[in-house]
Amino acid sequence: MDWEAHIECWSRTTVRLLEVQLFAAQAGTVPEHDVAATGFFLLTVQGEATVSLSGTVYSTRSAPLLHGGKETEFGLMPLDNEFVCYFIRYQADSLFPEDQESFNMPYAFTPYTLLPLQEKCQAMDRLWQHTAPLEKLEAQTVFHQFVYEVMRQIHSSAQGTSRPGVVTEAIHYIHEHYSEPITAEVLAGMCSCSTSYLFRMFKSQLGFGPIDYLIHVRIRRSKQLLLQSNARIQEIAGSVGYADVYYFSRLFKKHTGCSPQRFRENNKHTVQNNPLHLLKSSIVSGKPVSHNDNENYYQLNEEGDTSMFRFSRPALGAALLLCSAIFLSACQTGNNTGKAASEPIPTSTAADSEAADTRIYKHLKGETEIPVKPQRVVSLFHLGELMALGVKPVGATTFILNNPLLSDVSDIEDVGSTPDAEKILSLAPDLIITTAPFAEVVEGGYEALSQIAPTLVVEQYNDPVKDVEMFGDILGKQTEAKQWNKDFAAKIKESKEKIAPYIEPGETFSILNVRSGAVFIYGDTNLGGNIVYKYLGLKPTEKVEKEVIHGETWEISSEVIPDFIGDRLILAVNEGAEAELKKVDKLIQNSPAGKAGKIYNIDFNQFLFSDPISVEQQMDIIVNLLAGSST
């Protein structure tokens, strides 16, 4: 099916919600067979059934969302008494016959995240039960939001890329629902993962947690409302998710340095007369700071009210960026010529010509024309990868600039923890490289970045060999990439030989991280796990192999710590975790590694990154510990 054309049909057709029903098999209300009189969606909430659409049979376990059109022959057979589904009928009034044909097409789809769809169905069902016109009108609005979410997920899947990561999906959910009560548990449930896993992914991909980002979005939206409307502070607080205006004011002052009223007074006049200042003041806020205990309590207890206002990511930021780019270009043109129009333009040098050559590069957002030899790169996540190839970007985010294992980064411009689009624009890049999560957190998203410079959204492999190969291709540094990978293979071989005399056959290794209030066990990706298990080929314990490397275990309770620790333990204790370490230290010391005196302490901050330069130094640290401290 041509999904682009189908989505286009939805965008230009008048569609009206006709009915929302919740069916439960145990109540005997599920229709067994029918011919649809209108278009419909069926979304499975619980259980399993087989559904026939015009002769094609689907299982709701593999395809929870089904669509049928007018005159679709519809049959449903629940496979258990627990089957529950929403049945949504709609009327599409198309102006073009081909559009009507598209609406009549039956199809099945497997959403990569069901919760947003189920939530919208629940809201529609609740509103539809009312007889008041206002509730019916709101139900129509929610139906369009439901259709948008369906089409968004279909469009993403149709691109042929992998499922969006949990961070990208959580960011999208935050942008759609920031005015509602949101907790870490809600976000984790939406992403079908644990809260600790979600926090870990946010921290590793963005440098801050999900609630930190939620606060950032709310403060940024409140700035916009303060400067672009005359709404009362209490109304603005409620519209960004804070029922308590006094709490909102304290939080706003903590993050901006002044009260909401003072911020409005100090900035509104300037903003109205300076579009660039508007971009800086009202769209891009500063670095998110960790939420305090009060904020944590506030979020966990789901305080705040749900506002009727919804703010999608504004196009204003992207428009202003484009205007700014045109303005800067015009200024540069005027400054550079200063001659009569008839005077010849100086001939470009060979280097300029090479830099001007372009090619098409395929990435997660499609195909983009990029320079063959980019000269001014801004990288929002990958820094060590570029530096390993001899390329120093002109700008990078705070997160990667804080990597303690990277040297000589002083002349790289910090574009912010959540990237400041105006600052990126001021650097005049000829190429921007980002990951999907960082593309989402920029105001205006990928589209805004693309209006500044050609922008690539690349995979986050966290594998130095793959990353170096990918960036060698992007930057026109294929020769340097091959040489780095060759040298890295030699380094792995040399490291194995160095530790071989100190490792007994069959010895097992574990990696433990003690944090304030929590203990984490690592597999073969983070905190040196890639080095220990993949590159050096050391053996994990059976439980680590089964439940961590090939499972989903990460955070563990203190009583099971001995079950995961092998003959040797690599231990990282975070700052401020002294109390937690005291609680579990006896268990650690009584493990095989503890009794043998084979516990090796590493600095968590040094092992947080997985770029090529960091991994090389991390390998040296681990090898020296094993070779120098072994008995």
Side-chain angles (χ1 to χ4, degrees):
M1 186 169 180
D2 186 343
W3 291 114
E4 290 284 352
H6 185 62
I7 294 171
E8 179 66 25
C9 291
W10 279 99
S11 71
R12 67 184 177 214
T13 301
T14 302
V15 181
R16 183 165 56 93
L17 176 64
L18 297 178
E19 186 180 28
V20 182
Q21 290 181 295
L22 179 64
F23 288 118
Q26 59 185 3
T29 58
V30 177
E32 293 185 1
H33 189 273
D34 201 357
V35 176
T38 64
F40 68 88
F41 286 99
L42 184 148
L43 182 72
T44 299
V45 176
Q46 182 178 330
E48 184 179 4
T50 56
V51 179
S52 172
L53 297 178
S54 295
T56 303
V57 179
Y58 302 94
S59 167
T60 60
R61 183 174 296 279
S62 58
L65 178 69
L66 298 120
H67 173 270
K70 186 177 180 180
E71 299 183 356
T72 296
E73 293 184 1
F74 169 77
L76 189 150
M77 179 63 67
L79 300 181
D80 54 55
N81 287 331
E82 302 299 323
F83 179 72
V84 180
C85 70
Y86 282 103
F87 192 79
I88 304 162
R89 293 197 308 113
Y90 70 89
Q91 178 70 45
D93 298 321
S94 305
L95 295 177
F96 307 101
E98 59 270 22
D99 286 1
Q100 194 59 57
E101 290 179 11
S102 183
F103 279 108
N104 288 341
M105 286 289 294
Y107 55 82
F109 176 61
T110 305
Y112 47 75
T113 174
L114 268 171
L115 188 58
L117 297 173
Q118 292 177 351
E119 286 181 342
K120 287 174 174 58
C121 286
Q122 184 180 20
M124 273 190 286
D125 183 43
R126 173 177 54 79
L127 292 164
W128 200 253
Q129 305 310 315
H130 293 270
T131 57
L134 195 59
E135 278 73 18
K136 295 286 188 183
L137 177 61
E138 188 175 0
Q140 296 283 349
T141 301
V142 177
F143 173 66
H144 284 88
Q145 293 172 354
F146 170 82
V147 172
Y148 167 75
E149 181 63 23
V150 171
M151 294 302 126
R152 183 184 75 87
Q153 294 197 35
I154 285 177
H155 183 267
S156 179
S157 300
Q159 299 304 303
T161 58
S162 58
R163 163 185 172 167
V166 296
V167 175
T168 302
E169 280 303 304
I171 288 171
H172 176 80
Y173 187 86
I174 286 171
H175 278 278
E176 292 292 317
H177 299 272
Y178 67 87
S179 61
E180 304 169 11
I182 297 179
T183 66
E185 286 73 16
V186 167
L187 289 172
M190 188 276 300
C191 296
S192 302
C193 66
S194 67
T195 54
S196 59
Y197 180 80
L198 181 65
F199 182 84
R200 170 192 178 189
M201 292 295 100
F202 259 84
K203 196 71 175 176
S204 66
Q205 295 182 32
L206 294 173
F208 46 81
I211 298 303
D212 293 326
Y213 183 66
L214 171 64
I215 297 169
H216 166 76
V217 169
R218 286 173 166 173
I219 297 297
R220 185 174 64 190
R221 294 293 188 257
S222 65
K223 286 182 176 181
Q224 292 174 342
L225 294 173
L226 285 165
L227 299 178
Q228 298 170 10
S229 77
N230 293 321
R232 293 179 297 116
I233 305 299
Q234 184 171 3
E235 184 181 354
I236 290 174
S239 71
V240 297
Y242 295 111
D244 185 342
V245 65
Y246 299 106
Y247 175 79
F248 164 72
S249 296
R250 292 196 304 271
L251 190 67
F252 188 94
K253 186 172 183 179
K254 173 186 173 183
H255 285 261
T256 66
C258 63
S259 69
Q261 186 60 39
R262 178 58 61 86
F263 178 84
R264 172 180 270 170
E265 293 170 354
N266 290 349
N267 293 277
K268 193 165 188 177
H269 179 75
T270 307
V271 165
Q272 289 172 341
N273 293 281
N274 187 337
L276 282 179
H277 192 86
L278 171 63
L279 178 65
K280 181 176 180 181
S281 298
S282 67
I283 295 180
V284 181
S285 66
K287 173 182 177 181
V289 298
S290 298
H291 53 279
N292 58 20
D293 292 338
N294 289 334
E295 171 64 16
N296 191 44
Y297 176 84
Y298 186 91
Q299 297 299 332
L300 289 176
N301 286 276
E302 301 188 23
E303 295 183 25
D305 62 354
T306 302
S307 169
M308 67 175 287
F309 299 106
R310 294 289 182 271
F311 301 94
S312 60
R313 179 181 291 138
L316 177 62
L320 288 175
L321 284 173
L322 180 59
C323 293
S324 302
I326 294 172
F327 175 76
L328 289 176
S329 176
C331 291
Q332 289 168 357
T333 302
N335 291 337
N336 289 340
T337 57
K339 304 175 183 179
S342 60
E343 290 189 35
I345 298 174
T347 305
S348 299
T349 64
D352 292 335
S353 177
E354 183 180 41
D357 289 341
T358 62
R359 66 188 179 104
I360 300 299
Y361 188 87
K362 187 174 182 180
H363 58 109
L364 296 181
K365 287 289 186 178
E367 296 184 344
T368 298
E369 185 177 8
I370 67 171
V372 171
K373 296 284 187 180
Q375 305 297 307
R376 297 182 61 80
V377 180
V378 169
S379 178
L380 302 188
F381 182 82
H382 300 91
L383 178 55
E385 290 81 358
L386 273 64
M387 294 178 69
L389 295 171
V391 174
K392 182 174 285 189
V394 295
T397 54
T398 307
F399 176 47
I400 53 175
L401 285 171
N402 285 338
N403 183 348
L405 297 180
L406 296 182
S407 59
D408 193 25
V409 299
S410 58
D411 54 344
I412 301 174
E413 187 73 24
D414 186 346
V415 300
S417 182
T418 51
D420 184 328
E422 186 182 11
K423 186 170 286 186
I424 295 174
L425 175 65
S426 71
L427 296 175
D430 59 1
L431 180 65
I432 300 171
I433 305 172
T434 180
T435 59
F438 265 117
E440 289 291 321
V441 302
V442 175
E443 183 66 25
Y446 171 75
E447 291 75 16
L449 291 173
S450 297
Q451 291 179 17
I452 299 173
T455 301
L456 302 181
V457 181
V458 299
E459 292 280 5
Q460 184 178 328
Y461 290 119
N462 292 327
D463 180 325
V465 174
K466 288 183 178 179
D467 285 333
V468 165
E469 183 178 350
M470 175 174 66
F471 281 98
D473 183 27
I474 291 172
L475 302 170
K477 297 280 186 178
Q478 292 88 346
T479 301
E480 291 86 343
K482 288 180 181 178
Q483 185 60 50
W484 188 91
N485 282 333
K486 181 180 178 181
D487 294 342
F488 186 61
K491 184 179 182 67
I492 292 174
K493 182 175 182 294
E494 179 184 346
S495 298
K496 285 182 176 180
E497 293 171 351
K498 186 173 181 179
I499 65 172
Y502 303 96
I503 307 298
E504 297 293 333
E507 275 193 302
T508 56
F509 289 74
S510 307
I511 304 173
L512 200 69
N513 176 213
V514 179
R515 304 184 190 179
S516 179
V519 177
F520 300 93
I521 190 78
Y522 279 79
D524 59 354
T525 53
N526 305 101
L527 208 67
N530 52 339
I531 296 167
V532 171
Y533 302 126
K534 287 181 179 178
Y535 305 141
L536 298 181
L538 301 174
K539 184 180 179 182
T541 66
E542 183 178 346
K543 202 166 183 67
V544 168
E545 173 83 28
K546 181 179 179 181
E547 298 187 18
V548 184
I549 296 176
H550 297 297
E552 297 183 354
T553 299
W554 184 47
E555 184 175 356
I556 60 175
S557 56
S558 57
E559 60 268 18
V560 301
I561 288 176
D563 299 337
F564 287 90
I565 298 180
D567 300 309
R568 303 199 184 206
L569 174 66
I570 295 174
L571 178 64
V573 180
N574 287 31
E575 185 178 350
E578 293 78 10
E580 188 66 29
L581 178 62
K582 188 175 181 180
K583 284 170 52 180
V584 302
D585 188 56
K586 188 173 182 180
L587 293 170
I588 294 174
Q589 296 303 326
N590 285 332
S591 69
K595 291 177 180 178
K598 294 181 178 179
I599 297 176
Y600 310 97
N601 293 290
I602 60 172
D603 184 339
F604 176 83
N605 292 322
Q606 289 184 326
F607 281 78
L608 186 60
F609 299 87
S610 55
D611 63 271
I613 293 176
S614 297
V615 167
E616 285 186 297
Q617 295 182 60
Q618 292 162 2
M619 185 177 295
D620 289 337
I621 292 170
I622 289 176
V623 167
N624 289 335
L625 284 172
L626 295 179
S629 302
S630 300
T631 56

